[in-house]
Amino acid sequence: MLEMGANSSFPDGPQPSSRPSAFSRLANAYTVSDTDISSKDKKKKTSKFATLRKKLTRARRHSRSMDYGKALRDMISQWPVHEIRALVQEYESLSALKELALLSNVARPQANSFRRDLSTLFDYKFCTDVDLVYKGACFPAHRALLCIRSPFFRHLLSRYPDFGSQIPIKLKTSGVDVSLFSSLLRYLYTDTLNTDDLRLDNKDILLKLADEFGMPNPLEPDLRALLETGEFSDAVLVFSCDNDCIESDSMHTSLIDSELPFKSSQHEVRCHKAILAARSPFFRNLLLRRARSGEEITERTLRAPSRIVLDESVIPRRYARVLLNAIYQDTVDLSLILRGSASMCSLSEVQAMVAGKGHMTLVDEAMEVYQIGQFLDFPVLSQADSITTDNLISILNWSSEPHGSQWVHRQALHYLREEFLQISHSPILLELNKDYLIEALSSEFLQATELDVLSAVMKWGEYQLIKRIEEREPNLLSHTAHSISKKGVKKRDLNDVELRDILAEVLPLVRIDHVIPYNSDVLNSAIKRGLISTPPSHLIDDDEGQGYRMSAWSRAKCNGVFIKPRLFTPYFEEAKMVLDEQLSQGQDPDSGHFRSIHISSIPDTLYMVEDRQSLSPHRSQSFGHTSSSTVDIIAGTIPVPDASTLNQMIQREQELRNSSPVQRAYSLPCCDNREINCHLKLRVVREFGLPDTTMEILQNSQFYYTSEANSRRQYLIQKYHISPSKRKQQSPPLRNRRNSPAKPVQCVSPTRSHGSAREADMSPCSDSALSEAMPDIAMATASLGQVHIQEEFELDIGDRNSHHGT
């Protein structure tokens, strides 16, 4: 479950206090009391306590993960060690890719904290109401922040109550120059002080200033005090509503009036213009426009707060507390929502009532809060979400809409993949849209065995067939003794041909060769019913016995049977345990003729030969983008960032490329460099708040930018890459590269200019021509000609078709 929060993306860990209680409950189940033991049983007391650890271990072994691990152990226990090692290498590579995929999925523009926004407020002087004059320098400032932060300023400003007063500052502490005074004011706004810019004597002066100004509280409690008390407020949020709604809400006036600073009778909330202007561009532009029109001068003359009227059909009053709490505290707390008739006039509630629905659920409220954050241009509200199994369908449907959130949609799909086992045994599975099911099954990170996946697909398909049969049933017989929906449909009555048609797009995503145990009733039933057209590899007779079975899991043999396994955690852990056990018995994983090939050690130029058709549509969707063309650029569907933003994106990409997760992925033997680069670019464009299709611009910037911007790109690439000639000199022989991490290389043909040079790390969305890559391929094959590889190996240069999703 993803908790509510401004920047939260992953659940918090379990509280330490919960562990002792859970362990004590489990231990108490095996506690034996002397009063309950007869004289005969007392002799066995010692042995019972001696077997306590065995009982606890036995209780844990009944878990599903241990059963899954046993199924894999039974299959690979008779494998050669090098085959087990190859399987573990596949899992390790998938684990590294999953880490990169998670980082790209949670990437988004970071919401500013209140400290950063208040620092911007201090720099740009929005909505200032006092002028501090110190040694001839004028510092426009905000009365509310200074008064709540410092007793010195509270006492001083109380003597100058007028708006725009110029207040001379006289300090008892000597040696405070203008620069130090400015740093002091910034500290009051941001609660941070850059001591590196201060001289040693200034640090001594700070101790004296702390006594004179009073040591302020932390910034967060002071802002909370401004919110709760409404002290020094100079603005009022007024929630307008129809008269009918106001009359229906009159009975709840006394309840809200008792909770400052909210006034129910007038639907008003007191607040501070400085805070609003700092946190929300919507409020800032509104206040600046009113100041230019002269309304603020009139209000200040009358000493009346600025009234900001909000349409309650767009921003309901029920979310006033949530909104202000997020503005002042950077937290989204849905428990602050006013529920009941006090929340009338909400457009969503009216629509729900018209549609015949009941009260809004917590998910509906979270979605409405998100919409408010989008309207006010306040990212903190737009980054809150809460996903559970019960609300998964609602969040998926809402987030896939044009007005929904792509970030929330990615988190919902991630939740679907991670909790697929739980979902497959709940009614939620039957309500899943086919597109969502395909999206989940296309992933190599789905947390389920292929047997569970096949069972879930069969269950989902049969339910869809039953719905289709019920829709064909005449209305005259509906809900009668002869009604199908009343009697129910049995499996033997289902048409397997029609079921196969329903599952035509879903069943190919099930990796049938990885269904274990092989004698599963679900698998045998699917084969007998003709739902699986191609028989599994374990049914193919071969001279090697288990050769085809192993080849379906390991790429060591070039027989076309290999299918990349899913990264199912219990399988990964069990495979590592089996490998460790085999190695502990003294068996050499490199014994015999087998040698593993590090795919990442193959020259990167080989990955430039890419076929767009080699990536299935579902695989492309898992990367979060679809292939684009020049027409999309002309039509304006792909935003083209300016040259400055592009340079920042390129620099960010190179920084990420040198990070430890990426370098680890490059060093692993079975990682596809194209997938690594695609996740990198996805993360960059999402961090900059751009759609996923902008990857096309990031990859092919030389076609959209001036030579100056392209030169900057080439400089950054050369800064973090190694030239092909230097790489050739530094690279060890292929047989010695087992533990040497591979680095991305800039491969440029000597005959091409800098303006048309391509990176070696071409993404699946790039539109590269084969003729452009041929010189590099020729260079690579020439260097590989000296390497002798046995016939057992399958050399994957990245141009092989694959229909399995990532």
Side-chain angles (χ1 to χ4, degrees):
M1 176 176 178
L2 298 178
E3 300 294 338
M4 301 298 302
N7 293 302
S8 61
S9 301
F10 296 96
D12 296 332
Q15 299 296 330
S17 59
S18 62
R19 295 179 181 176
S21 60
F23 178 80
S24 61
R25 289 194 301 270
L26 185 60
N28 289 337
Y30 300 97
T31 302
V32 182
S33 174
D34 290 338
T35 57
D36 299 329
I37 301 177
S38 61
S39 57
K40 181 179 180 180
D41 295 332
K42 285 183 180 181
K43 298 180 181 180
K44 300 180 180 180
K45 180 179 179 181
T46 304
S47 61
K48 288 185 177 181
F49 279 105
T51 58
L52 176 59
R53 178 177 300 178
K54 295 181 179 180
K55 292 182 178 181
L56 295 176
T57 305
R58 191 180 305 118
R60 291 195 299 267
R61 286 182 177 175
H62 291 305
S63 63
R64 300 179 63 88
S65 61
M66 293 300 294
D67 294 338
Y68 290 141
K70 182 178 182 301
L72 185 73
R73 176 180 287 270
D74 293 341
M75 182 186 69
I76 67 176
S77 58
Q78 302 301 322
W79 285 14
V81 180
H82 63 264
E83 296 286 358
I84 302 177
R85 184 181 183 87
L87 178 61
V88 173
Q89 289 178 342
E90 291 287 348
Y91 282 135
E92 289 175 345
S93 300
L94 285 173
S95 177
L97 286 176
K98 182 178 181 179
E99 184 177 1
L100 298 182
L102 290 177
L103 292 175
S104 64
N105 283 337
V106 301
R108 56 182 172 184
Q110 184 177 5
N112 291 343
S113 63
F114 56 76
R115 287 182 174 84
R116 184 172 179 179
D117 285 337
L118 290 179
S119 177
T120 303
L121 179 69
F122 176 78
D123 291 332
Y124 290 92
K125 317 299 182 185
F126 299 126
C127 302
T128 57
D129 49 10
V130 294
D131 293 333
L132 305 180
V133 180
Y134 182 73
K135 292 186 177 182
C138 182
F139 296 90
H142 304 83
R143 180 185 299 270
L145 288 172
L146 294 179
C147 291
I148 198 65
R149 297 284 289 152
S150 171
F152 172 85
F153 282 111
R154 175 180 297 196
H155 176 72
L156 177 62
L157 296 181
S158 64
R159 297 181 298 182
Y160 299 89
D162 296 335
F163 170 76
S165 299
Q166 290 190 353
I167 305 173
I169 304 297
K170 297 181 180 180
L171 301 179
K172 299 178 181 179
T173 305
S174 60
V176 180
D177 55 11
V178 174
S179 177
L180 181 57
F181 183 76
S182 177
S183 299
L184 177 63
L185 291 180
R186 180 180 295 276
Y187 173 77
L188 295 179
Y189 275 74
T190 63
D191 213 11
T192 57
L193 185 64
N194 189 2
T195 57
D196 296 336
D197 298 335
L198 301 177
R199 302 189 305 271
L200 181 60
D201 54 346
N202 284 344
K203 296 180 180 179
D204 297 334
I205 295 175
L206 290 178
L207 298 177
K208 300 178 181 179
L209 288 175
D211 295 334
E212 184 174 358
F213 280 76
M215 182 62 69
N217 298 320
L219 182 59
E220 186 175 0
D222 284 340
L223 292 180
R224 186 186 304 116
L226 286 178
L227 171 64
E228 294 176 351
T229 64
E231 193 175 6
F232 311 110
S233 61
D234 54 0
V236 175
L237 294 183
V238 181
F239 293 87
S240 64
C241 189
D242 296 336
N243 293 331
D244 296 339
C245 294
I246 297 177
E247 293 175 1
S248 64
D249 192 43
S250 59
M251 65 180 65
H252 298 272
T253 299
S254 58
L255 174 62
I256 311 294
D257 277 340
S258 60
E259 301 178 356
L260 291 177
F262 297 85
K263 298 183 178 180
S264 171
S265 58
Q266 297 181 355
H267 309 282
E268 298 180 355
V269 183
R270 289 183 288 168
C271 52
H272 305 82
K273 291 195 297 184
I275 307 297
L276 296 181
R279 303 310 313 276
S280 170
F282 172 85
F283 286 121
R284 178 166 63 247
N285 295 333
L286 175 63
L287 293 171
L288 293 178
R289 185 170 61 250
R290 295 183 63 170
R292 288 192 295 266
S293 65
E295 296 180 36
E296 185 177 17
I297 299 178
T298 303
E299 294 168 350
R300 294 299 184 178
T301 303
L302 300 176
R303 295 189 177 181
S306 298
R307 298 174 63 84
I308 303 175
V309 181
L310 302 175
D311 187 355
E312 198 167 356
S313 62
V314 180
I315 304 179
R317 173 167 49 94
R318 65 201 304 262
Y319 300 114
R321 288 172 171 267
V322 180
L323 171 62
L324 288 181
N325 188 71
I327 289 177
Y328 282 75
Q329 297 290 291
D330 268 353
T331 57
V332 181
D333 187 0
L334 296 185
S335 64
L336 299 177
I337 297 177
L338 297 176
R339 295 178 172 86
S341 58
S343 62
M344 294 294 291
C345 298
S346 169
L347 182 61
S348 299
E349 283 203 341
V350 173
Q351 292 175 347
M353 293 175 62
V354 172
K357 300 179 180 179
H359 293 288
M360 295 181 63
T361 63
L362 186 63
V363 178
D364 298 328
E365 293 171 339
M367 295 175 184
E368 199 163 57
V369 168
Y370 174 88
Q371 302 286 0
I372 294 173
Q374 292 290 92
F375 179 79
L376 297 179
D377 197 7
F378 185 49
V380 172
L381 282 177
S382 301
Q383 296 193 12
D385 66 285
S386 179
I387 302 178
T388 62
T389 303
D390 296 332
N391 58 36
L392 176 63
I393 301 297
S394 301
I395 292 179
L396 281 172
N397 294 335
W398 167 79
S399 59
S400 62
E401 296 292 334
H403 60 272
S405 168
Q406 289 297 321
W407 186 88
V408 174
H409 191 69
R410 294 199 300 268
Q411 309 318 307
L413 290 176
H414 171 73
Y415 183 89
L416 174 60
R417 292 189 292 266
E418 290 295 315
E419 303 296 334
F420 189 81
L421 275 178
Q422 177 184 355
I423 294 173
S424 63
H425 294 88
S426 68
I428 301 299
L429 172 69
L430 307 179
E431 303 177 18
L432 270 180
N433 185 281
K434 182 171 70 173
D435 294 336
Y436 302 146
L437 183 60
I438 290 176
E439 187 75 24
L441 300 185
S442 301
S443 173
E444 293 173 347
F445 312 129
L446 186 70
Q447 289 303 298
T449 66
E450 294 304 323
L451 180 59
D452 291 315
V453 172
L454 178 60
S455 177
V457 167
M458 298 285 292
K459 185 191 304 183
W460 180 87
E462 291 171 352
Y463 177 78
Q464 302 301 319
L465 179 57
I466 292 175
K467 285 179 58 179
R468 181 181 294 185
I469 295 175
E470 291 180 351
E471 291 175 356
R472 293 199 299 258
E473 182 187 10
N475 294 332
L476 183 64
L477 299 178
S478 180
H479 301 293
T480 63
H482 303 283
S483 173
I484 293 180
S485 60
K486 187 176 183 66
K487 295 187 299 181
V489 180
K490 298 182 179 180
K491 287 187 178 181
R492 63 172 178 267
D493 299 330
L494 298 178
N495 188 336
D496 293 337
V497 176
E498 195 171 1
L499 179 61
R500 185 167 61 248
D501 179 65
I502 293 175
L503 299 177
E505 299 181 57
V506 182
L507 266 179
L509 301 177
V510 183
R511 308 180 187 190
I512 301 298
D513 289 334
H514 294 171
V515 176
I516 53 176
Y518 297 121
N519 58 352
S520 167
D521 294 337
V522 178
L523 178 60
N524 294 333
S525 174
I527 296 175
K528 292 179 181 178
R529 297 170 68 177
L531 301 178
I532 299 176
S533 57
T534 303
S537 58
H538 70 272
L539 296 180
I540 302 177
D541 295 332
D542 63 324
D543 298 335
E544 300 180 6
Q546 292 187 353
Y548 277 106
R549 299 184 184 183
M550 290 187 295
S551 299
W553 291 79
S554 172
R555 66 173 81 225
K557 295 186 177 181
C558 182
N559 52 15
V561 184
F562 170 73
I563 300 175
K564 184 179 292 188
R566 300 188 198 270
L567 182 62
F568 184 49
T569 304
Y571 281 1
F572 183 21
E573 297 298 330
E574 193 68 23
K576 289 191 297 184
M577 292 177 58
V578 174
L579 179 62
D580 292 340
E581 292 174 2
Q582 297 286 352
L583 294 178
S584 64
Q585 297 175 4
Q587 299 189 33
D588 185 7
D590 293 331
S591 61
H593 62 276
F594 179 80
R595 288 293 187 273
S596 63
I597 294 181
H598 283 240
I599 294 180
S600 58
S601 297
I602 298 175
D604 295 333
T605 44
L606 295 179
Y607 289 97
M608 295 180 65
V609 183
E610 293 182 2
D611 184 6
R612 284 177 176 270
Q613 303 301 326
S614 66
L615 293 177
S616 66
H618 308 312
R619 187 184 181 98
S620 299
Q621 291 176 7
S622 66
F623 282 122
H625 73 279
T626 56
S627 59
S628 57
S629 62
T630 309
V631 178
D632 295 327
I633 303 293
I634 298 176
T637 56
I638 300 180
V640 180
D642 55 59
S644 176
T645 303
L646 176 71
N647 290 333
Q648 296 177 15
M649 294 172 65
I650 295 173
Q651 186 172 3
R652 176 59 175 163
E653 179 185 353
Q654 305 308 326
E655 291 175 356
L656 294 176
R657 195 179 299 279
N658 286 343
S659 61
S660 56
V662 177
Q663 290 300 314
R664 173 175 172 266
Y666 276 128
S667 66
L668 292 176
C670 301
C671 278
D672 189 345
N673 286 3
R674 296 174 302 172
E675 296 185 24
I676 300 174
N677 299 326
C678 190
H679 287 306
L680 277 178
K681 291 178 173 59
L682 272 179
R683 181 177 176 183
V684 171
V685 298
R686 289 168 178 173
E687 285 181 354
F688 280 78
L690 298 172
D692 295 348
T693 50
T694 314
M695 288 178 58
E696 186 80 18
I697 309 297
L698 184 61
Q699 179 61 44
N700 303 302
S701 60
Q702 61 269 25
F703 298 119
Y704 307 106
Y705 294 92
T706 62
S707 58
E708 180 180 356
N710 193 46
S711 299
R712 173 65 175 170
R713 174 186 177 87
Q714 295 300 325
Y715 166 75
L716 292 172
I717 293 175
Q718 293 172 4
K719 180 180 179 181
Y720 291 95
H721 285 68
I722 305 175
S723 63
S725 59
K726 182 179 291 186
R727 179 187 178 96
K728 186 175 181 180
Q729 297 173 2
Q730 297 178 354
S731 299
L734 183 64
R735 63 180 178 271
N736 296 330
R737 289 189 184 179
R738 182 175 304 273
N739 297 319
S740 60
K743 296 184 179 180
V745 183
Q746 180 193 10
C747 298
V748 181
S749 174
T751 60
R752 280 183 285 169
S753 62
H754 292 285
S756 61
R758 298 285 188 93
E759 288 184 76
D761 46 280
M762 300 292 286
S763 69
C765 67
S766 61
D767 193 9
S768 60
L770 181 61
S771 59
E772 297 180 358
M774 280 302 295
D776 297 326
I777 296 300
M779 294 170 57
T781 52
S783 62
L784 283 177
Q786 302 175 357
V787 181
H788 300 283
I789 304 176
Q790 296 185 5
E791 295 180 357
E792 291 90 341
F793 300 137
E794 179 182 3
L795 187 61
D796 182 6
I797 63 173
D799 60 349
R800 183 176 54 186
N801 294 335
S802 175
H803 60 276
H804 297 285
T806 53

